[in-house]
Amino acid sequence: GGAIQKAGSAAVQKATQTALKEARAVTAKEAPSIAPAKESMKESAMPWRGWLTKALVQQFGEERVESWRRKLVYKPDDVHDFNQIPKPSTKVPISKDGTKTAMFRYPSPGSQDPVRIPKGFEPDEDPYDTSYYKRDTARRYRNSDFSQQEMTKLELMNSNNPDVQKLREQLQAGPESSPGNQGRFATGPSDFDPTGLRATMSATNQALEASLDAHMPDHLPEPEWFDRSEEIIEWHSSRGLPVPFGGTGFGTVPTHRRIARW
């Protein structure tokens, strides 16, 4: 009942909204009765922009000012006019002939088609979980701390010293795990992920190690050229060339890409 009532009131409010004939700023009081604009204003909100260029054109002529601009300005044909964020009206060529263009946030995200989620996920797999740390087995054993250096320092100290013995035991035990927030977030308790790895605030070392164990590779990888080994050997042997280590030519850069542009 509540959802139907909200939907009905939203429909009534939308029906009573009127669009502005000209783009202008609106107050908070009149905003609910005005329909959102489908496109941004065409006129510049900074009419004073470019006043120096306009003054020079009036004084010396457009042709002369353009020749000066091309000599003084770096990349005078920059489509963005050196703006870090493109103007909404700027059309950026995306095809070689320049006929196909794209505009900043056009179509707007609200006017685009719904997100297409890839298929093929397992029933218990989260398609929105893009975290990599819990399956990053390549960096698992990279020692990011200085435990080995600290252990070397302790070996040079008096082994009968209680403080040295205590420090050695701490290093041998390894880093203690963060207890995590046990699923208690600022917005309240949550149990959307029993492992706690979905959010880094609830992650623990124990759960991370278990996840890395499950993702550890259990196969022997082969190089890309393994199936072409005999062909590579025959090609070099028939030409009297030494056989290289593996198949060369993979990932080479074309000549035109190696030519400097400056």
Side-chain angles (χ1 to χ4, degrees):
I4 297 177
Q5 185 178 2
K6 290 181 179 179
S9 61
V12 172
Q13 181 181 2
K14 185 175 182 180
T16 57
Q17 289 179 340
T18 57
L20 292 176
K21 295 182 179 180
E22 296 181 358
R24 64 174 178 82
V26 298
T27 62
K29 184 178 180 180
E30 61 181 345
S33 61
I34 297 178
K38 295 184 178 180
E39 60 182 11
S40 61
M41 58 189 300
K42 301 294 185 180
E43 299 179 359
S44 175
M46 297 182 293
W48 60 85
R49 183 179 177 87
W51 66 271
L52 179 60
T53 303
K54 295 177 183 178
L56 292 175
V57 168
Q58 293 178 356
Q59 183 71 22
F60 301 101
E62 184 176 356
E63 183 177 354
R64 182 177 297 179
V65 173
E66 179 63 19
S67 64
W68 294 344
R69 191 179 73 87
R70 292 194 167 274
K71 293 178 181 178
L72 299 175
V73 177
Y74 172 70
K75 297 180 67 175
D77 297 324
D78 182 56
V79 67
H80 299 298
D81 195 22
F82 299 104
N83 291 314
Q84 294 183 351
I85 299 180
K87 299 179 181 178
S89 59
T90 302
K91 295 183 177 181
V92 182
I94 57 176
S95 60
K96 292 183 178 180
D97 56 0
T99 58
K100 189 176 182 180
T101 60
M103 298 175 65
F104 179 66
R105 292 177 63 85
Y106 180 84
S108 62
S111 302
Q112 297 182 13
D113 296 333
V115 177
R116 296 187 296 271
I117 302 177
K119 299 181 180 179
F121 289 97
E122 298 296 332
D124 58 343
E125 190 175 1
D126 186 359
Y128 299 100
D129 187 5
T130 59
S131 58
Y132 183 62
Y133 76 99
K134 59 186 179 183
R135 51 188 175 90
D136 186 10
T137 57
R139 298 179 179 86
R140 181 176 188 179
Y141 297 110
R142 290 187 182 179
N143 190 7
S144 59
D145 58 12
F146 300 94
S147 59
Q148 189 61 40
Q149 291 89 325
E150 295 299 323
M151 185 63 72
T152 303
K153 294 179 182 178
L154 293 176
E155 294 296 336
L156 301 176
M157 299 181 184
N158 184 7
S159 59
N160 296 324
N161 190 312
D163 293 335
V164 175
Q165 296 176 358
K166 182 178 180 180
L167 290 174
R168 184 183 288 112
E169 293 176 356
Q170 292 178 352
L171 286 175
Q172 292 175 349
E176 296 182 359
S177 172
S178 171
N181 61 4
Q182 305 299 321
R184 292 186 293 271
F185 295 87
T187 55
S190 177
D191 57 352
F192 59 87
D193 181 17
T195 65
L197 298 178
R198 184 64 173 83
T200 53
M201 291 182 64
S202 59
T204 61
N205 273 345
Q206 289 83 356
L208 175 61
E209 293 297 328
S211 178
L212 293 176
D213 289 339
H215 288 88
M216 286 298 290
D218 57 357
H219 65 284
L220 296 176
E222 295 178 347
E224 178 272 338
W225 48 263
F226 185 79
D227 295 334
R228 299 182 289 108
S229 301
E230 298 296 333
E231 178 184 349
I232 295 173
I233 295 175
E234 192 278 332
W235 190 91
H236 288 82
S237 300
S238 62
R239 291 167 174 76
L241 299 175
V243 180
F245 292 95
T248 60
F250 179 75
T252 55
V253 180
T255 303
H256 68 276
R257 297 292 296 174
R258 297 196 296 268
I259 300 177
R261 295 178 179 269
W262 54 82

